[in-house]
Amino acid sequence: MTTTHIDDQVLTTLRSAADRVRATLGTDIGDRVERALGRTLRETISLDDDGAFVITGDIPAMWLRDSTTQMTPYLRLTAASPALADLLWAVVRRQFRLIDHDPYANSFNREPNGAHYDPDDLNADPLVWEQKYEVDSLGYPVTFAHALWRSTGRVDVLDATAHRVFRTIVDQWRLETDHDRSAYRFVRPGAVATETLARDGRGTPVAVTGMTWSGFRPSDDACTYGYNVPANLFAAEALLAVASIAREVWDDGALAADADALRTTILDGVARHGVVPGPSGADVYAYEVDGLGGVLLMDDANTPSLLSLPLSAPTVLDPAVWTVTRDFVRSPANPFWFAGSAAAGIGSPHTLPGRVWPIALAVDGLVSGSAARRREVLDVLVATDAGTGDMHESFDVDDPTRFSRPWFSWADAMFCELALVAAED
């Protein structure tokens, strides 16, 4: 794995960012930020002719979602470091090439070596690590490319491949508004229900609602109902980015119009089917629905989540509905809200009961609008790392020494993002 992307300018930029954190939040948090930012660049990224390949930390595959969130803290540093901007664009270049290869896959190998999460999966493409179709896997590279374009002004990576990928994403999301027309299936023989799709890989039945279907959640768990509401709102936000780049970079009015039309269709579907009475009687966003009467009221730690909507879908969410939803998902009414002697926060059916996720805690701080709350969350994250200095996937709310994944780069990135934002308060 090459590390030539880390030069003195990059290191100086990371140190300066960490110094700002140290000056406002203390040496411990600043040192953790500098260590995490440097470690992600050194230990997760490798470069080749197709761009930058980013592993999750402890798994040798690249997730489209994770690789974006892992890079998010660096976005604010590109003005100070052209080399860092180059690296982020290299990640985007790789993401577009992977989507171009298989827009239904969520994670990929660095080369077509045939490695798979499960060798018995229906899909046996040697470049694909796992073909769990997740709406957010297509949304993250789009919104990140848009943010990077706005911050750097560069269009060289927004090339013919990127143009083709944006068209593919719009067409696929439109196709999946009527999932019965789709050929996609996911079968993992002998797997538990969350690791495969019902009906011989088709997923549970859904009606046509205007929303776009997803087989799996951002947690990589199978959807209970096929319309994941936070992912649909995220897709609507991403379609704004598609339309913007289509018009301003490619002068492609047809693509922009298609993106705008699909966004309207999705948002109408969310309004008609995804906003439902919550436990208090006031309207909330459901987590999943099927358009047939099935409604799942919960939230998951993985983003896009309902709690993270001000970060993932700021332009398209309904602020009043989200405020009530936030109060619901941060309460015992959410079946994946856990509270104990060490922490309280949102967990996931992907991990054991009674475990909260540092990602969700960081999101809680970021959307709080409160400097005091952000500092409180940072202190909780530091106190619950089991003395390792690293953020974990999840930890027990009463005993943080019981945790999953010794090093989870996405969680490190969210800690850094929260600290960088808190340093600006």
Side-chain angles (χ1 to χ4, degrees), residues 48-312:
D48 55 38
D49 292 341
D50 287 331
F53 188 85
V54 186
I55 65 171
T56 64
D58 56 0
I59 299 175
M62 178 170 173
W63 267 255
L64 295 170
R65 171 187 54 252
D66 295 35
S67 59
T68 304
T69 54
Q70 287 168 260
M71 296 298 106
T72 296
Y74 305 99
L75 188 58
R76 67 185 65 243
L77 308 177
T78 54
S81 174
L84 199 50
D86 288 344
L87 179 62
L88 298 189
W89 275 119
V91 173
V92 172
R93 182 184 300 111
R94 186 58 156 262
Q95 290 175 328
F96 287 162
R97 278 147 180 75
L98 294 174
I99 294 171
D100 198 38
H101 179 80
D102 184 351
Y104 278 98
N106 60 319
S107 54
F108 298 83
N109 299 312
R110 185 181 179 188
E111 55 193 17
N113 57 22
H116 302 290
Y117 177 89
D118 189 324
D120 293 328
D121 283 356
L122 182 65
N123 180 279
D125 186 322
L127 189 63
V128 171
W129 172 263
E130 194 171 53
Q131 198 199 37
K132 287 181 173 177
Y133 176 53
E134 301 159 359
V135 166
D136 68 284
S137 292
L138 300 178
Y140 270 114
V142 167
T143 56
F144 191 70
H146 182 266
L148 196 52
W149 166 56
R150 289 298 192 198
S151 67
T152 67
R154 286 176 49 179
V155 297
D156 52 300
V157 178
L158 299 176
D159 56 12
T161 299
H163 195 174
R164 183 169 60 248
V165 163
F166 275 42
R167 167 50 72 185
T168 295
I169 290 171
V170 172
D171 289 349
Q172 183 164 303
W173 280 347
R174 184 194 297 114
L175 170 67
E176 292 295 349
T177 62
D178 185 359
H179 180 57
D180 283 346
R181 295 189 295 128
S182 170
Y184 172 78
R185 295 169 60 230
F186 184 93
V187 176
R188 180 166 288 169
V192 297
T194 56
E195 287 294 312
T196 191
L197 294 182
R199 293 196 303 154
D200 194 31
R202 304 286 298 156
T204 55
V206 294
V208 175
T209 65
M211 287 181 283
T212 190
W213 177 89
S214 188
F216 293 84
R217 301 169 179 167
S219 62
D220 298 337
D221 292 334
C223 293
T224 299
Y225 303 117
Y227 299 120
N228 183 277
V229 174
N232 268 269
L233 288 167
F234 183 40
E237 188 77 28
L239 287 164
L240 282 170
V242 170
S244 176
I245 291 175
R247 289 191 176 97
E248 297 183 49
V249 177
W250 299 319
D251 193 25
D252 187 343
L255 176 58
D258 286 348
D260 287 339
L262 181 57
R263 182 181 72 255
T264 298
T265 298
I266 288 173
L267 290 176
D268 179 65
V270 170
R272 288 186 297 111
H273 298 276
V275 178
V276 300
S280 70
D283 281 349
V284 299
Y285 286 118
Y287 187 70
E288 287 171 2
V289 297
D290 60 10
L292 300 169
V295 175
L296 182 60
L297 289 177
M298 59 164 278
D299 201 17
D300 190 281
N302 295 264
T303 62
S305 60
L306 295 175
L307 185 62
S308 75
L309 287 175
L311 306 176
S312 57

Side-chain angles (χ1 to χ4, degrees), residues 65 69 140 217-219 221 230 287 298-308 311 329 334 336-338 345-351 355-364 392-395 408 410-411 414:
R65 171 187 54 252
T69 54
Y140 270 114
R217 301 169 179 167
S219 62
D221 292 334
Y287 187 70
M298 59 164 278
D299 201 17
D300 190 281
N302 295 264
T303 62
S305 60
L306 295 175
L307 185 62
S308 75
L311 306 176
V329 301
N334 173 10
F336 295 98
W337 170 266
F338 303 114
I346 297 172
S348 172
H350 194 69
T351 48
R355 294 195 175 190
V356 299
W357 286 47
I359 288 172
L361 287 169
V363 167
D364 192 335
H392 304 128
E393 178 187 54
S394 70
F395 63 87
F408 192 27
W410 180 7
M414 293 302 297

